[in-house]
Amino acid sequence: AQSVTQLGSHVSVSEGALVLLRCNYSSSVPPYLFWYVQYPNQGLQLLLKYTTGATLVKGINGFEAEFKKSETSFHLTKPSAHMSDAAEYFCAVRPTGGFKTIFGAGTRLFVKA
Amino acid sequence: GAGVSQSPSNKVTEKGKDVELRCDPISGHTALYWYRQSLGQGLEFLIYFQGNSAPDKSGLPSDRFSAERTGGSVSTLTIQRTQQEDSAVYLCASSPQLAGESTGELFFGEGSRLTVL
């Protein structure tokens, strides 16, 4: 069965600092991978996704993530944090050709002024 | 509307009562999903619909939970004889295409927050 592990339930960074949110997955074959963001009292929205092709994918709001098959990782980064980035971030995996999307437990990002 | 719509946004009920949560997906989206979000637990998959049929109900926590979808559109999640552990945010999402024919991006509603006293 597929699973997703997000390291760190809370991450705190200073404004302007690098953001790094970690995600590892388990799957027998490379799946589709996603990062979603949830702002307070809102639903989730897609940040970026990896399906096939280029392993470095760029998303909205300056975020990007790199698929590393050898490490079964899909870490999310942003070079410079903004206050508006404070939210909860979810990594998710879906089997190629499947339908069930499995989510990690989420990482809450705090941005300090 | 343009997005996924869920109602009610908040529901407070007494233990033992039945509740119905409604989801109106994006027009034309054939796939519809229900997830449960509990504090610190991430998103728990409950059920998935393709059209009006539910190929996978394995995520439903107990037989008190049921869901249906009519006309390939609106879905209702029903919880009978609610318990305090049912308190959570119930999220609905829709997706435009059948699994395997799309990359599976989900479009989420804002959720229904259920509190069981």
Side-chain angles (χ1 to χ4, degrees):
Chain A
Q2 296 192 321
S3 66
V4 179
T5 301
Q6 291 185 241
L7 298 177
S9 59
H10 296 83
V11 170
S12 182
V13 301
S14 297
E15 192 172 22
L18 171 72
V19 176
L20 170 60
L21 305 182
R22 299 178 186 273
C23 173
N24 288 88
Y25 68 91
S26 67
S27 176
S28 56
V29 295
Y32 297 145
L33 295 159
F34 307 83
W35 276 98
Y36 286 83
V37 61
Q38 186 178 33
Y39 297 103
N41 300 314
Q42 295 186 23
L44 280 73
Q45 64 183 89
L46 183 70
L47 262 182
L48 49 78
K49 63 183 178 185
Y50 169 79
T51 54
T52 59
T55 56
L56 181 64
V57 294
K58 296 184 183 299
I60 61 173
N61 300 337
F63 283 93
E64 61 183 34
E66 185 172 10
F67 168 58
K68 292 188 176 181
K69 181 179 178 181
S70 61
E71 299 177 8
T72 60
S73 68
F74 191 57
H75 301 332
L76 181 71
T77 61
K78 181 174 180 178
S80 176
H82 294 170
M83 297 296 289
S84 60
D85 294 327
E88 188 150 21
Y89 293 80
F90 293 91
C91 182
V93 59
R94 173 176 167 149
T96 307
F99 63 87
K100 184 186 292 188
T101 301
I102 303 300
F103 286 80
T107 297
R108 184 165 295 279
L109 177 66
F110 297 92
V111 182
K112 300 175 292 185
Chain B
V4 176
S5 178
Q6 292 188 246
S7 61
S9 56
N10 279 285
K11 176 71 176 180
V12 180
T13 191
E14 294 179 349
K15 178 181 173 181
K17 300 285 189 182
D18 297 353
V19 297
E20 285 189 352
L21 308 177
R22 175 189 168 105
C23 174
D24 199 344
I26 293 172
S27 178
H29 282 194
T30 56
L32 186 148
Y33 301 75
W34 283 98
Y35 287 86
R36 180 167 68 176
Q37 184 177 21
S38 303
L39 191 62
Q41 299 298 314
L43 274 69
E44 175 188 7
F45 172 86
L46 297 180
I47 189 170
Y48 150 83
F49 287 92
Q50 180 57 38
N52 291 334
S53 65
D56 188 339
K57 303 179 183 179
S58 63
L60 294 177
S62 74
D63 58 8
R64 296 186 296 105
F65 287 72
S66 63
E68 65 175 12
R69 189 179 185 194
T70 56
S73 181
V74 173
S75 175
T76 302
L77 177 68
T78 301
I79 308 173
Q80 295 179 308
R81 305 181 302 282
T82 52
Q83 302 295 313
Q84 289 184 333
E85 61 262 28
D86 299 334
S87 296
V89 177
Y90 290 82
L91 292 170
C92 176
S94 67
S95 185
Q97 290 177 297
L98 178 65
E101 297 176 356
S102 78
T103 55
E105 177 182 352
L106 301 180
F107 295 80
F108 282 85
E110 294 189 359
S112 292
R113 181 178 297 277
L114 175 65
T115 302
V116 182
L117 301 177

